[in-house]
Amino acid sequence: MAAAAATAASKGNGGGGGRAGAGEASSSRKKKGPGPLATAYLVIYNVVMTAGWLVIAVGLVRAYLAKGSYHSLYYSIEKPLKFFQTGALLEILHCAIGIVPSSVVLTSFQVMSRVFLIWAVTHSVKESGHISLKKEKVKNRLQTPLKTWKLERQTTVCQMAELKVQSEDSVLLFVIAWTITEIIRYSFYTFSLLNHLPYLIKWARYTLFIVLYPMGVSGELLTIYAALPFVRQAGLYSISLPNKYNFSFDYYAFLILIMISYIPIFPQLYFHMIHQRRKILSHTEEHKKFE
Amino acid sequence: PYRAVQVEILDAKTREKLCFLDKVEPQATIAEIKNLFTKTHPQWYPARQSLRLDPKGKSLKDEDVLQKLPVGTTATLYFRDLGAQISWVTVFLTEYAGPLFIYLLFYFRVPFIYGHKYDFTSSRHTVVHLACICHSFHYIKRLLETLFVHRFSHGTMPLRNIFKNCTYYWGFAAWMAYYINHPLYTPPTYGAQQVKLALAIFVICQLGNFSIHMALRDLRPAGSKTRKIPYPTKNPFTWLFLLVSCPNYTYEVGSWIGFAIMTQCLPVALFSLVGFTQMTIWAKGKHRSYLKEFRDYPPLRMPIIPFLL
């Protein structure tokens, strides 16, 4: 959904140099757009982001060619992924100060869901895997007979190994979806700001989502699902009673709620994008006819 | 010479002619026209009609007289359906009765909320009983004010608001009540001192809030929709009017801060924060409309927090 929201949210709002929805002709009449200084800054921002995601794409390809398999590819691009995806938080600021004509709420939702997946799921769960294994060893040894303990320990290690691999495959799924989407999206903005948008980029932005959205959503959901056992075991980000502030939070339940929320949200975003596609790509066709 | 007027009502979006009223009196009000329109389209009762001179313009008021509007012998009005409406009183009563009832379910530890061994047990902490009294008092006060004190400028609001509002009030009430009445509840760090101070804040702010509601009621005669600048009265609690436009909101936030300190419960603090955010938005809007309507509005006043916000 972070993948879906990324483009849907911005496309919902037309006009201007930033998150353009409708064709340039109709939008430039209605909105005044950012000033020259803001435009320069936005061009630089979008170029940098395009470059960043290209680095990630290249990193993935090189790692794949070097290793020959798609395992552990996440680790090769982990740092730039975190850096550039987190950097997208600036886009909320852009909307807030008005240099990009998008809704702050929609943009926040989109960026936050990406950042959440990167840090609160993929990053956090990777580390807690090791910690909980140690805890399990000490606890169980004292309470169970040796044979049972050895069997349980083996199972746990297998589970851990299995889960790490699982989470990597699904992580790769959404990383690839995001990478392609973001390269196109940021180059779209760059060209729009410079008032020279190649049809290919516009076409790509409004067409590739058909495959990339479901791909990204699948990767995200599978990753969250894979993270669940870790979260349960380590009690990750969870607070239980009693405590001084009389508050409790179950991260495991929270993640399940997040997964459920994909059910109403994803179809809405997806069909909104399809609707936008019909509107924008057919509009350009007509425009071309009159030229 | 007496001259009857004709009124045609068109759909604001489709421009379709919906109704043609023959021989309407020039002194007819919009309210009367709405009633006539309902006769031909009974599904659109007056409360859900928005009539305007321009399809994209502002809604005309019920009190507006046809004669005084810029229309010729045939008045063209544009209609917009506001959707199903529900009365403000109904919404208020429902959204306030919920928390009152829900909190008590948790307080009495009704089965299936906490573990079965806690069913119908009572907390050993005094502050928990005090919190129940305060919370219940607060919502009883609100219900009584809705029935006997408030004079609403609008009759109705869109139906979907009741679902939104009830989810907010009922949801937060359940969330707060769950922790305060939990068998593992931890009383405030600074003990009785903290509770006493917080209780004082709560009581003062409740009295303040009530005083403001009474003062606002007295500003407006029964059945009217007039608007005047509120001023401090002999009641010291109303002296906050010198510094803020909406002291009722100021006192309301104060009450909840008091309750949060008293229970030392994070969900209560979060509820106070969300409420404060919403009330600030309302206060700023009210303040702006005061400034627009009254040239001589006191300049010292801020919307909700003296000198600051």
Side-chain angles (χ1 to χ4, degrees), chain B residues 11 38 46 78 81 93 101 105 121 153 158 182 198 204 236 265-266 275 290-291:
Chain B
D11 184 297
T38 304
Y78 292 92
D81 183 12
L93 292 179
F101 178 68
L105 290 176
T121 55
S153 50
H182 201 284
I204 290 171
C265 177
L266 186 61
Y290 275 147
L291 289 173

Side-chain angles (χ1 to χ4, degrees), chain A residues 80-182:
Chain A
L81 177 67
K82 283 177 177 171
F83 180 80
F84 287 101
Q85 185 58 81
T86 313
L89 285 169
L90 281 173
E91 287 164 45
I92 302 175
L93 185 66
H94 298 164
C95 294
I97 60 177
I99 58 177
V100 169
S102 273
S103 138
V104 176
V105 171
L106 237 43
T107 310
S108 302
F109 173 77
Q110 156 203 333
V111 177
M112 289 302 194
S113 69
R114 288 283 188 92
V115 169
F116 173 78
L117 220 98
I118 288 277
W119 290 102
V121 181
T122 314
H123 168 82
S124 308
V125 173
K126 199 164 62 75
E127 301 199 334
S128 63
H130 299 293
I131 301 166
S132 58
L133 184 58
K134 278 195 212 130
K135 276 196 196 148
E136 286 290 334
K137 272 167 84 166
V138 175
K139 194 170 67 178
N140 291 347
R141 180 65 190 94
L142 297 168
Q143 289 164 349
T144 52
L146 188 62
K147 235 188 353 197
T148 323
W149 180 82
K150 274 192 178 156
L151 186 63
E152 277 178 35
R153 185 174 167 278
Q154 253 179 344
T155 320
T156 314
V157 172
C158 283
Q159 280 177 335
M160 294 285 180
E162 216 178 86
L163 286 163
K164 282 189 76 83
V165 168
Q166 265 181 5
S167 53
E168 277 194 45
D169 285 1
S170 55
V171 167
L172 196 61
L173 205 57
F174 73 74
V175 168
I176 292 176
W178 290 7
T179 307
I180 301 173
T181 307
E182 298 301 72

